[in-house]
Amino acid sequence: MTTIRRTLLKLAAIGLAAGAAPALHAQTAWPTQPVRMVIPFPPGGPTDLVGRVIAQALSEQLGQNVIVENKPGANANIAAELVARAPADGYTFMYNTSSLALSAVLYSKLNYDALKDFAPVALTAVVPMVLVVHPSVPAKTVPEFIDLLKKNPGKLVYGSAGNGNVTHLGAFQFLQANGLSATHVPYKGSSPALVDLAGGQTQFMTDTINSALPYIRDGRMRALAVTSAKRSPVLPDVPTLQESGMAGFEVGAWQGVVMPAKTPPEIVNKLNAEIAK
């Protein structure tokens, strides 16, 4: 857990320092050519959705195209290794999630070091999660769902964006906290996992609200609870897990930007300030 906390604090500190960056802007002409934003998950997922909004805004502000390149797989480790080894010239950066910190403690061997191989640029978003089920699941509330799982140990199936991803850990922690078991199916990102849940191939999932919301609104999924400490304004009628009998339970996902470690500080600071806008 120490590695996770240190990485989070590093990202947050850089993000909070946005106001200190402008004085360094004039020292570099970067960028003079298109910039590559690597996203470690497939198109359509929560990270991709927010990343593309930021990429579009940065393209307009920087006067150069910010090209999105999706490199899914291995809970973002494929993309992380790619960016860690990329030239530290400011023309490649990664739009990632809490997986960057989680992988450091979940995988015994990685071909990169999250703390040594990256320069944190900005913390961009903190997104609450929601526990959703397929409409065929008879449970309408969290207590009913817990009772259903107790009566069917290991029989219900849940998907995630990958082993060790926060969407996996959210469901795992929910099950563990209630002494429950279910079968986990990892996907290469939230988007394909949500598609299979909507199609009935799996029965439940914990995912970020921004990616699950369209499925909830059109009735392809039923929201049982949000994982944040307070209710979400976009799902005001959906209770929190704490309200549903799980005192103290809270989990969420964060997103942020990193560059190769030896990227010139003036470029890191400039991108930080542009994202802060």
Side-chain angles (χ1 to χ4, degrees):
M1 296 303 292
T2 300
T3 303
I4 293 177
R5 286 198 297 270
R6 287 173 60 201
T7 305
L8 279 167
L9 288 171
K10 248 181 124 178
L11 284 166
I14 295 294
L16 291 172
L24 297 171
H25 290 179
Q27 298 179 14
T28 178
W30 178 90
T32 58
Q33 63 189 53
V35 181
R36 178 172 60 155
M37 172 194 277
V38 178
I39 296 181
F41 302 101
T47 311
D48 182 75
L49 291 171
V50 182
R52 287 179 183 273
V53 172
I54 292 174
Q56 179 61 39
L58 287 175
S59 295
E60 296 170 0
Q61 292 168 202
L62 295 171
Q64 292 286 349
N65 287 331
V66 175
I67 302 168
V68 173
E69 183 177 333
N70 296 90
K71 287 284 184 182
N75 194 35
N77 291 327
I78 292 174
E81 183 180 355
L82 173 72
V83 175
R85 303 291 177 260
D89 56 8
Y91 290 97
T92 299
F93 67 89
M94 180 166 64
Y95 190 76
N96 205 354
T97 68
S98 40
S99 62
L100 185 63
L102 294 171
S103 288
V105 294
L106 292 172
Y107 292 82
S108 58
K109 291 184 179 180
L110 290 173
N111 293 322
Y112 66 91
D113 186 308
L115 292 175
K116 295 179 180 179
D117 292 336
F118 297 110
V121 178
L123 185 66
T124 57
V126 178
V127 187
M129 300 174 71
V130 59
L131 171 63
V132 288
V133 299
H134 187 265
S136 63
V137 174
K140 301 295 192 299
T141 66
V142 171
E144 289 177 359
F145 187 52
I146 291 173
D147 185 59
L148 178 68
L149 286 163
K150 284 182 177 178
K151 291 177 179 177
N152 297 276
K155 293 183 179 180
L156 273 70
V157 179
Y158 68 100
S160 77
N163 281 315
N165 185 273
V166 69
T167 58
H168 174 203
L169 295 181
F172 179 80
Q173 289 177 324
F174 167 79
L175 294 168
Q176 189 178 54
N178 293 289
L180 306 169
S181 64
T183 300
H184 173 230
V185 177
Y187 291 80
K188 291 184 178 180
S190 285
S191 184
L194 287 167
V195 168
D196 270 12
L197 176 56
Q201 280 73 43
T202 59
Q203 282 75 56
F204 71 100
M205 182 177 180
T206 53
D207 203 352
T208 54
I209 287 179
N210 59 331
S211 58
L213 192 60
Y215 294 90
I216 296 168
R217 284 179 169 167
D218 66 15
R220 285 181 289 171
M221 295 177 190
R222 182 188 309 121
L224 297 186
V226 293
T227 65
S228 48
K230 297 180 180 180
R231 293 194 183 198
S232 168
V234 297
L235 292 172
D237 297 327
V238 177
T240 66
L241 281 172
Q242 294 189 36
E243 290 179 278
S244 304
M246 296 183 65
F249 190 98
E250 182 180 0
V251 64
W254 56 260
Q255 300 174 3
V257 172
V258 295
M259 286 179 138
K262 295 182 180 179
T263 303
E266 60 268 25
I267 293 178
V268 173
N269 287 330
K270 183 171 183 180
L271 182 56
N272 171 283
E274 294 298 331
I275 290 171
K277 291 178 182 179

